[in-house]
Amino acid sequence: SPWRLMMSLTPSRGCLLDLPWEDILVPHILCHLPLQQLLSLQRVSKSFQSLIQLYLANMRCFDSSQIGPAIPRAAFVNLLKDNEVLQQLALQNCADWLTDRELLPVIGQNHHLHQIQLKGCAQLSRHALVAISLSCPNLRRLSLAHCEWVDSLSLRSLADHCKALEAVDLTACRQLKDEAICYLVQKCSRLKSLSLAVNANVGDVAVEEIAKCCPELEHLDLTGCLRVKNDSIRVLAEYCPKLRSLKVKHCHNVAESSLSILRSRGVELDVEPPLQRALVLLQDVVGFAPFINLQI
């Protein structure tokens, strides 16, 4: 393995560090090692420290969960201070302390980001989303789940500048209403996946606009969107031929009369057909489900 190779080539023999750093070590050896092990290698010698700093500056992907359940604030700042080539950034493990102060410099110097995961980072502000929109024109995937600081103005900035977006998770972004969602989908018509779950402010107006603006839509999560009704689900069925999954659990105003159209097309739904639900209920209550004539 690469780890055994590195351990066999000790600094004292000079073999490993004599290899070309940027052409061989960074792209072909270090990239196979867990980030946590790489960080511990910095303590071997000053040369190894310089090598790992070079690696960190050239990382394309950074996922804070690779370092452990919690990453210290100072360590995060140090790890990414020289990196300007990040393409993927996942920081859900930093939610306890991550603020604009730590995030904005990283976003500001990385213009190639196409995937950002900020799920549960509740201490950020709308300025973080504005910074993302201004610095990351090629952004394709963004998770802002449980980021209640997301408001309509910052989402408008995202829509104006990141038109290549394909997947957006706005679960429990409770400040957002129909108008903000409509603006997003009008500008970002390439969306394939969208979550608006746990948002009681989202209703039929938003869902119908999603349907009409996003013909490539494959996945839509409306879990707990209490204002969504049958009419918008029918529009969704009409305008989104590529839809593969729809979540409408706890949408009490959505009935089988609209879902059956999607069900017949093989769309994956998170609610059972009413007959199946009724049989289960009847069996629980009466205990005579085997006597029901299923051919009726």
Side-chain angles (χ1 to χ4, degrees):
S1 72
W3 179 249
R4 283 199 295 271
L5 171 63
M6 296 194 75
M7 290 302 96
S8 64
L9 297 169
T10 61
S12 60
R13 294 171 61 184
C15 298
L16 180 65
L17 296 175
D18 285 345
L19 293 172
W21 289 15
E22 292 192 48
D23 296 331
I24 301 296
L25 291 183
V26 169
H28 297 296
I29 295 181
L30 299 188
C31 63
H32 295 289
L33 296 176
L35 188 55
Q36 221 168 4
Q37 291 185 356
L38 286 174
L39 297 179
S40 66
L41 270 177
Q42 291 186 101
R43 296 192 291 270
V44 173
S45 69
K46 287 186 177 180
S47 295
F48 265 98
Q49 185 178 21
S50 298
L51 173 62
I52 302 307
Q53 288 298 319
L54 177 67
Y55 173 82
L56 294 173
N58 285 277
M59 273 192 308
R60 299 296 195 272
C61 305
F62 180 79
D63 184 343
S64 61
S65 65
Q66 292 181 0
I67 298 177
I71 172 175
R73 185 196 314 254
F76 168 79
V77 172
N78 184 58
L79 286 174
L80 296 180
K81 67 182 189 313
D82 298 322
N83 194 306
E84 298 180 0
V85 294
L86 277 177
Q87 295 178 3
Q88 299 178 33
L89 180 64
L91 301 177
Q92 59 268 39
N93 277 38
C94 304
D96 289 344
W97 52 262
L98 186 70
T99 67
D100 294 355
R101 184 176 180 180
E102 293 81 30
L103 181 63
L104 265 54
V106 176
I107 297 298
Q109 65 194 32
N110 282 283
H111 305 294
H112 305 288
L113 281 163
H114 59 74
Q115 186 169 325
I116 299 176
Q117 163 69 266
L118 297 174
K119 180 180 179 180
C121 292
Q123 297 188 51
L124 298 172
S125 80
R126 59 182 299 275
H127 299 296
L129 187 52
V130 173
I132 288 170
S133 67
L134 295 177
S135 293
C136 309
N138 301 313
L139 194 63
R140 295 202 300 270
R141 304 182 68 85
L142 176 63
S143 174
L144 298 167
H146 303 282
C147 293
E148 296 196 25
W149 45 265
V150 176
D151 62 6
S152 58
L153 283 176
S154 56
L155 194 71
R156 181 178 288 258
S157 179
L158 180 74
D160 284 337
H161 296 95
C162 300
K163 295 176 182 176
L165 279 167
E166 295 179 0
V168 180
D169 188 347
L170 298 171
T171 298
C173 293
R174 295 188 178 93
Q175 287 196 59
L176 301 177
K177 299 180 180 179
D178 283 350
E179 183 183 4
I181 303 304
C182 289
Y183 192 89
L184 174 69
V185 298
Q186 287 164 6
K187 297 284 186 173
C188 302
S189 58
R190 300 184 201 175
L191 280 174
K192 295 180 180 180
S193 177
L194 178 62
S195 175
L196 302 172
V198 202
N199 191 336
N201 293 318
V202 170
D204 285 342
V205 172
V207 176
E208 290 184 19
E209 198 67 16
I210 292 166
K212 293 173 182 176
C213 294
C214 302
E216 303 296 315
L217 192 69
E218 297 178 4
H219 307 283
L220 180 61
D221 189 346
L222 299 172
T223 304
C225 294
L226 303 177
R227 293 175 54 232
V228 173
K229 302 182 182 67
N230 283 321
D231 288 347
S232 63
I233 300 301
R234 292 193 184 95
V235 175
L236 195 68
E238 180 181 354
Y239 282 89
C240 296
K242 297 184 179 181
L243 194 67
R244 291 164 51 193
S245 72
L246 173 66
K247 295 184 178 181
V248 289
K249 191 172 283 187
H250 308 304
C251 296
H252 305 302
N253 294 312
V254 174
E256 185 63 21
S257 57
S258 60
L259 293 177
S260 59
I261 308 165
L262 294 168
R263 209 183 291 280
S264 66
R265 278 182 10 206
V267 175
E268 181 183 335
L269 301 170
D270 65 341
V271 292
E272 295 175 340
L275 176 60
Q276 189 170 343
R277 289 201 301 271
L279 287 176
V280 171
L281 181 63
L282 192 59
Q283 188 171 18
D284 288 344
V285 174
V286 185
F288 290 109
F291 293 96
I292 296 173
N293 185 355
L294 296 178
Q295 295 180 348
I296 294 175

